Amino acid sequence: MLSFKRDYTTRAITSKFKLLPEYKLKCGLEIHTQLSTINKLFSLSTNNPFADIEKPNYHTSYFDISLPGTQPLLNYEVVLYALRLSLALNCKVNLNSHFDRKHYFYGDQPLGYQITQHYSPFSSAGKLRLFKELDAIDEPFKDIAITQLQIEQDTGKSTYDATDSMTKIDLNRSNVPLIEMVTEPDFTDLKQIRAFIKKYQNLVRHLKISTGDLETGAMRVDVNLSINDHARVELKNLPNTSSINNAIKYEYMRQVKLIQNGEGNKLNHPETRGWTGSETVKLRSKESVIDYRYMPDPELPNISLYNGVVDDVQKTLPLSPDDICNSLLHEPYKLSLKDAKILTFNSNGRDDLYSNEELRDYYLETFKAYKVLCDKQNIQFVRKLPANWIIHELLGNMNKLEVPLKNLRCILPPEKFADLLVLISDQTLSNSSGKLLLSHILNNFKENPHDLNKNIDFEALIDEYDLHAVSNVNDEELEAICRQITNELNNDKMIRDIVSGKKKGSLKFLVGQGMRLSQGRVSAQKFEQTFKKILNVNW
């Protein structure tokens, strides 16, 4: 038999992993989310998300460094953020929650205890629903139950310096407000786990309570996992989605291997394991965990709310991302699911250039302005045009040139972008010429961000660069160009396949050749019609 190490490397598991029907996976998640409040949880220190890369111990107060005699002062902005998230997750809000002390000592927690909510958490009994269409899971929908949300303080950061052979403590992160969200063990496959983390991450960003970034530690995920109802194993030190994914795969196969080898008794006791990047390793047994000696914090009063506050905050919540996405799929927009998700969910976009909300607002304003102009000028309204040009053309240029959307709004506000779409709709510009014009405008803005005339005159630019579409092209001349292309192609098999309909896509190749020869000034539709005519294509 091959050794365990050789059989179950991370790479092999990642490429060949499959859940086995006789070994049922059960998972729950614990997610710690740093809140983007102005100040820290129990002090007036600045809550700086980039503190770790600045001067160590700079964003600290007497309480953050645990100076004797200092006392905590609750930041009520944290309560508001916790309330927004609780309501968005359909939780039952505890109108009289309180703080507890969790006693332990590490160098990065000099108080000797962490202030958290053990006995009476802020909220409980919520749920987040996943959908097959929106979240790419196998089931039509899946409800993940939320056990509780609790407010607690973050710890400092310990860094071992091999040069000086010492561990250095940075307390910039100490006392940063956290929300710990705990789910029930409702996950039964990796798709559900990935979908939930992505959806939760997008939700906290949508509510503007956190950056939700895993890479910076603003969101940290622990996984509780068991196989066939054996004891729970907690996986810690999972810095990103790939680590979460690979750690679960590795741990699942490790436990399966133990059961197959008759060593299932080793899974009868709960334990905590860490992820090294290639395997899970035991950190401690749950039985050996120190007694945290939880006790109510005597220096902090209860968080007492009344129903009116809860109702008022509920009214201020934005539409959920799911509701926004569904609205874009239907009238009057009728976007594709892919485009609707780009405008709704934070995916692989450039956060430094635009947010989903900024991009969606730009699209909605452009869509409205374009429709008004089409109705006013009695031009055919092409519903998909705004999304196609904003998502596929404008964003491509923005990412390439690294120009933020808020800056582009100065020269191309939605109303102006709608003007460009009208020029394409009324065939003043071909698609190719429109792309060239848009690229020219953005390049010019990149090179001269302060000197560019903000009142762009599209007509003048079209005249200057001779970009007018050829709308009244001579049919005989166009046929001659198309015959020249087919003759020079010298590929009778391709022509036969096009005529028979066997390879309809090859017609696009011929159209592309025509567009190249005409420099994009003759529409693709005219070339397609002409090629079909001279080749006698009937499909």
Side-chain angles (χ1 to χ4, degrees):
M1 180 179 290
L2 296 175
S3 69
F4 174 83
K5 290 284 187 183
R6 190 170 178 181
D7 263 340
Y8 296 100
T9 62
T10 303
R11 181 178 297 177
I13 291 172
T14 301
S15 59
K16 300 179 180 180
F17 179 81
K18 184 179 180 180
L19 290 175
L20 305 174
E22 61 270 34
Y23 300 101
K24 303 295 184 182
L25 172 69
K26 183 187 289 186
C27 273
L29 299 178
E30 297 176 13
I31 301 180
H32 291 80
T33 307
Q34 287 183 343
L35 302 181
S36 301
T37 53
I38 297 172
N39 302 113
K40 292 187 179 181
L41 179 54
F42 297 117
S43 76
L44 296 178
S45 300
T46 303
N47 180 14
N48 188 337
F50 305 107
D52 287 348
I53 60 176
E54 293 186 353
K55 186 177 179 180
N57 300 303
Y58 182 77
H59 294 278
T60 55
S61 69
Y62 294 146
F63 181 78
D64 303 330
I65 63 174
S66 309
L67 196 68
T70 57
Q71 291 183 313
L73 180 66
L74 178 61
N75 177 1
Y76 286 99
E77 188 179 17
V78 174
V79 178
L80 174 61
Y81 282 17
L83 185 53
R84 287 171 64 85
L85 182 58
S86 297
L87 294 173
L89 290 172
N90 302 293
C91 290
K92 179 182 179 182
V93 176
N94 183 355
L95 298 180
N96 198 34
S97 62
H98 68 78
F99 290 101
D100 308 297
R101 292 182 179 181
K102 177 182 180 181
H103 291 85
Y104 66 93
F105 178 80
Y106 291 138
D108 55 18
Q109 182 64 40
L111 266 177
Y113 58 85
Q114 179 190 28
I115 301 177
T116 183
Q117 293 186 311
H118 178 70
Y119 293 114
S120 182
F122 188 81
S123 62
S124 59
K127 72 174 182 180
L128 187 63
R129 175 166 288 187
L130 306 175
F131 295 93
K132 182 176 183 177
E133 185 179 42
L134 295 180
D135 304 303
I137 62 173
D138 293 331
E139 303 84 356
F141 69 89
K142 172 82 173 182
D143 285 337
I144 304 299
I146 309 297
T147 308
Q148 65 185 48
L149 266 67
Q150 60 194 49
I151 301 171
E152 60 187 29
Q153 58 180 176
D154 209 345
T155 62
K157 185 177 181 181
S158 304
T159 306
Y160 180 72
D161 190 331
T163 304
D164 297 330
S165 298
M166 65 172 62
T167 298
K168 297 182 177 180
I169 304 297
D170 179 8
L171 296 177
N172 276 333
R173 199 177 69 181
S174 176
N175 197 32
V176 166
L178 293 177
I179 288 182
E180 180 180 2
M181 187 275 299
V182 182
T183 78
E184 292 293 315
D186 289 341
F187 300 97
T188 56
D189 66 39
L190 281 168
K191 286 183 180 180
Q192 297 168 6
I193 295 169
R194 285 196 298 265
F196 183 92
I197 293 172
K198 186 174 182 179
K199 193 159 196 167
Y200 181 80
Q201 183 181 50
N202 188 69
L203 179 62
V204 298
R205 290 170 173 170
H206 181 68
L207 295 172
K208 299 180 180 179
I209 64 172
S210 175
T211 65
D213 295 331
L214 285 162
E215 294 74 16
T216 63
M219 198 170 96
R220 305 192 287 275
V221 181
D222 295 336
V223 177
N224 295 306
L225 178 153
S226 67
I227 304 294
N228 288 354
D229 292 323
H230 280 86
R232 172 173 61 93
V233 171
E234 182 180 20
L235 302 179
K236 301 184 77 70
N237 304 328
L238 306 175
N240 49 48
T241 50
S242 62
S243 295
I244 295 166
N245 195 50
N246 291 333
I248 293 172
K249 290 179 179 180
Y250 185 95
E251 182 60 22
Y252 176 84
M253 294 307 299
R254 185 188 75 86
Q255 295 191 27
V256 167
K257 188 71 173 179
L258 288 173
I259 296 172
Q260 289 176 340
N261 290 343
E263 300 178 280
N265 62 308
K266 292 183 178 181
L267 301 175
N268 290 337
H269 303 288
E271 65 180 17
T272 298
R273 300 180 70 87
W275 175 244
T276 67
S278 59
E279 62 180 346
T280 64
V281 293
K282 184 174 179 177
L283 298 178
R284 60 181 179 268
S285 297
K286 288 294 184 181
E287 289 83 0
S288 65
V289 174
I290 60 172
D291 178 10
Y292 289 123
R293 292 174 289 117
Y294 285 102
M295 61 169 280
D297 193 300
E299 296 181 328
L300 284 164
N302 289 4
I303 300 176
S304 297
L305 305 173
Y306 66 94
N307 281 321
V309 170
V310 177
D311 293 339
D312 289 343
V313 172
Q314 178 78 65
K315 294 173 184 176
T316 68
L317 292 182
L319 281 176
S320 73
D322 285 355
D323 288 339
I324 292 172
C325 189
N326 281 322
S327 71
L328 294 173
L329 293 173
H330 298 93
E331 291 286 355
Y333 313 107
K334 299 192 75 172
L335 293 180
S336 68
L337 178 61
K338 180 180 178 181
D339 287 348
K341 291 176 75 171
I342 289 174
L343 293 176
T344 307
F345 304 111
N346 192 296
S347 50
N348 296 320
R350 291 282 303 273
D351 292 338
D352 56 329
L353 300 182
Y354 62 91
S355 67
N356 290 88
E357 184 178 6
E358 287 177 316
L359 185 63
R360 185 170 62 251
D361 288 344
Y362 189 87
Y363 162 75
L364 293 174
E365 292 173 41
T366 301
F367 183 94
K368 181 179 179 181
Y370 170 61
K371 189 172 188 317
V372 169
L373 288 173
C374 287
D375 292 343
K376 184 178 180 180
Q377 300 180 31
N378 197 24
I379 297 170
Q380 181 186 4
F381 171 65
V382 185
R383 190 191 306 270
K384 294 183 178 181
L385 209 58
N388 287 341
W389 275 80
I390 291 173
I391 295 174
H392 304 293
E393 301 301 332
L394 184 64
L395 285 193
N397 281 284
M398 281 173 50
N399 290 332
K400 179 181 177 181
L401 299 173
E402 297 190 336
V403 177
L405 181 57
K406 63 181 179 181
N407 292 354
L408 278 181
R409 270 184 171 265
C410 298
I411 58 163
L412 277 178
E415 297 79 12
K416 199 69 180 178
F417 200 85
D419 288 338
L420 176 63
L421 299 182
V422 167
L423 292 173
I424 294 166
S425 295
D426 68 9
Q427 298 186 356
T428 298
L429 276 174
S430 67
N431 277 337
S432 298
S433 295
K435 293 175 184 179
L436 287 173
L437 183 58
L438 181 62
S439 180
H440 165 76
I441 291 170
L442 268 60
N443 270 292
N444 203 7
F445 175 69
K446 175 70 174 179
E447 295 172 4
N448 307 287
H450 303 296
D451 300 333
L452 186 64
N453 181 6
K454 295 182 179 180
N455 185 21
I456 296 174
D457 188 338
F458 287 123
E459 294 288 354
L461 288 172
I462 291 170
D463 289 339
E464 180 181 354
Y465 295 104
D466 193 20
L467 294 175
H468 281 284
V470 180
S471 55
N472 296 318
V473 63
N474 184 287
D475 288 344
E476 293 181 1
E477 185 179 5
L478 191 56
E479 288 183 21
I481 294 174
C482 292
R483 292 186 190 280
Q484 176 187 343
I485 292 171
T486 55
N487 291 336
E488 292 179 354
L489 180 66
N490 195 25
N491 190 333
D492 293 339
K493 184 178 184 306
M494 177 186 284
I495 299 300
R496 288 197 300 272
D497 288 343
I498 292 173
V499 173
S500 66
K502 184 178 180 181
K503 291 188 177 180
K504 297 180 180 181
S506 296
L507 183 60
K508 293 182 180 179
F509 172 78
L510 299 182
V511 172
Q513 296 300 305
M515 295 292 289
R516 181 179 62 82
L517 285 176
S518 69
Q519 298 181 327
R521 297 177 63 197
V522 178
S523 71
Q525 292 84 356
K526 285 186 176 294
F527 272 115
E528 182 176 335
Q529 292 169 3
T530 305
F531 276 117
K532 284 185 174 181
K533 178 181 177 182
I534 67 171
L535 297 176
N536 196 27
V537 172
N538 295 319
W539 48 262

